[in-house]
Amino acid sequence: MKIAFVGKGGSGKTTLSSLFIRHLAATGAPVIAVDADINQHLGPALGLDEAAAAELPAMGARLPLIKDYLRGSNPRIASADTMIKTTPPGEGSRLLRVREDNPVYDACARPVELDGGAVRLMVTGPFTEADLGVACYHSKTGAVELCLNHLVDGRDEYAVVDMTAGSDSFASGMFTRFDMTFLVAEPTRKGVSVYRQYKEYARDFGVDLKVVGNKVQGQDDLDFLREQVGDDLLVTVGHSDWVRAMEKGRPPRFELLEADNRRSLQTLQAAVDASYERRDWERYTRQMVQFHLKNAQSWGNERTGADLADQIDPDFVLRERITASA
C-alpha cells in the first residue's frame, strides 16, 4: 500500500510518518520509506545521525539511472532523455517491487535498522549550491513521482512517503499516487487550513483522505478538530515523552511508546489495510496518463523536442500481477 503524510510545516507530519514507519517495521512488514520533502528530516526521525543522513544518496541526482532502468525495452520511449517525471509505464517497462533488489534501490535506497527490523530509506536530496537560484524542488521530487508510477506494491507491503509541506503537493500529480493520504493537523485555524485546501483540490481525483490530529491536549482541542474536519478525523495523537527523547537523539525501544499512541498507529494501519479493497488500477493508470498529458503539453514536449503523448500505451494497465520485463 502507498501512504502519504501531508500537512503544514511544523504540524508534525515527519514525526508521525516516522512513527508509522517504525510501527510497520515492528510488525515485520516490508517497508520503503521515502523523504519527498525538500527539507530532509525523515532520516534523523528514523534515528540516523546528521552525518549519516547527509550521506544518503539523493534520488534527484540519480535521475538518469532511474529513467534508464525504468524505460527497459519499452518501444514507445525513444530514449531515457525523453522521459519526464510523469512518463507512465507501458509494455516493456521495468517495474519496481517492494521486496526485490534492483539497480534503483542499489543506487538510491539504504537500509535503516529499527529495533531489530529494517526499512529501505530513499530521499529526494536537498538543494545543492548549483540549484540555488536556478531550480525548484520539483526537479528533485520528480524522481519520486517516476518511481511511484512504476511501483507495483501488494497487500501487506508498504511505501510511506513524507511529502512536502502545505498544499505544494498539488504542484505535480503525485498526490494521486497513494492508497491513503494522512493529513496531519494541529487543533488551530492554521492547522486545519491546509486540510481545507487539500480537500478542495483532491475532490475530483478520488483521493482517500483522513486527518490525524496532532498535539491534541484535551477535550477542547478534540472538539475543535471534530467541528472543523468532521468525519475525516480518524485519530488524534497527544504528548509523547518517547517522541521528545527521540528528538533529543536518545529514543527508547519502540515498544516503550505510550499505549495510547501505539493504538493510534494501529488505527492508521487498519485504515490503510482497509483501503486495499478499494484499489482501482484502471483509475490509477488513467490519472497517471492524465497528468502526463498535462505536463507534456505545458512544458514536456518543448523540453524534450518530442511528442510525449506517444509514450502512452493505450492497452497497458498497471496491476499487481504484471511481470516486469528484463
Side-chain angles (χ1 to χ4, degrees):
M1 309 299 293
K2 301 182 184 75
I3 305 104
F5 279 80
V6 300
K8 80 174 185 65
S11 65
K13 68 178 181 62
T14 298
T15 297
L16 283 172
S17 62
S18 72
L19 289 177
F20 189 58
I21 290 164
R22 289 176 184 270
H23 165 75
L24 294 174
T27 70
V31 181
I32 294 176
V34 182
D35 192 343
D37 192 339
I38 200 65
N39 298 307
Q40 305 273 277
H41 298 308
L42 185 57
L46 291 174
L48 298 183
D49 61 33
E50 295 297 332
E55 291 175 357
L56 291 169
M59 295 176 69
R62 290 157 178 79
L63 192 53
L65 179 150
I66 294 171
K67 289 180 177 181
D68 190 61
Y69 178 76
L70 297 179
R71 175 189 170 219
S73 60
N74 187 335
R76 295 177 178 273
I77 303 175
S79 70
D81 290 338
T82 63
M83 293 181 74
I84 62 174
K85 64 181 182 178
T86 55
T87 294
E91 187 65 33
S93 296
R94 291 190 179 99
L95 306 177
L96 303 176
R97 288 171 173 77
V98 172
R99 300 173 191 260
E100 70 179 2
D101 294 320
N102 59 55
V104 173
Y105 293 160
D106 290 344
C108 302
R110 293 295 179 268
V112 177
E113 300 291 330
L114 298 172
D115 290 350
V119 301
R120 279 174 165 149
L121 175 61
M122 304 170 73
V123 303
T124 61
F127 274 124
T128 65
E129 186 174 343
D131 296 324
L132 298 178
V134 297
C136 72
Y137 73 88
H138 302 114
S139 63
K140 306 291 185 182
T141 59
V144 179
E145 185 169 357
L146 195 58
C147 286
L148 289 177
N149 282 355
H150 290 73
L151 178 63
V152 182
D153 52 306
R155 185 189 293 272
D156 301 324
E157 298 176 338
Y158 301 90
V160 182
V161 183
D162 181 20
M163 297 282 280
T164 191
S167 57
D168 283 351
S169 301
F170 290 94
S172 75
M174 193 156 59
F175 73 94
T176 64
R177 303 295 86 203
F178 302 101
D179 299 287
M180 177 64 67
T181 297
F182 291 127
L183 190 144
V184 181
E186 301 166 86
T188 64
R189 286 186 298 174
K190 288 184 178 180
V192 299
S193 63
V194 172
Y195 159 77
R196 293 197 185 97
Q197 285 183 307
Y198 219 103
K199 183 82 170 178
E200 178 66 26
Y201 293 157
R203 178 166 293 141
D204 297 330
F205 295 95
V207 172
D208 207 341
L209 178 67
K210 293 296 180 184
V211 173
V212 181
N214 194 28
K215 306 177 187 178
V216 174
Q217 298 182 5
Q219 189 63 42
D220 186 63
D221 286 347
L222 181 58
D223 290 344
F224 175 83
L225 284 172
R226 283 176 172 162
E227 174 187 324
Q228 297 295 317
V229 307
D231 292 340
D232 284 340
L233 180 63
L234 177 66
V235 73
T236 63
V237 179
H239 174 77
S240 172
D241 290 331
W242 192 98
V243 169
R244 182 60 59 89
M246 180 269 289
E247 290 174 340
K248 293 176 179 177
R250 300 192 295 269
R253 290 193 61 81
F254 187 66
E255 63 192 27
L256 299 177
L257 182 72
E258 298 84 359
D260 286 349
N261 290 330
R262 287 204 308 273
R263 284 192 290 271
S264 294
L265 295 174
Q266 290 165 358
T267 299
L268 297 187
Q269 184 179 6
V272 168
D273 290 346
S275 72
Y276 181 85
E277 302 303 332
R278 300 190 294 273
R279 276 192 152 185
D280 184 344
W281 288 103
E282 285 79 9
R283 177 173 63 83
Y284 187 87
T285 304
R286 187 169 61 251
Q287 290 177 340
M288 203 187 309
V289 168
Q290 175 184 352
F291 281 103
H292 180 60
L293 289 174
K294 288 180 67 173
N295 279 268
Q297 292 165 6
S298 64
W299 61 270
N301 290 344
E302 182 178 358
R303 177 81 58 84
T304 62
D307 183 356
L308 299 184
D310 292 340
Q311 294 180 343
I312 296 169
D313 185 340
D315 300 320
F316 183 90
V317 176
L318 189 68
R319 295 184 186 277
E320 285 181 54
R321 293 183 177 84
I322 288 175
T323 301
S325 300

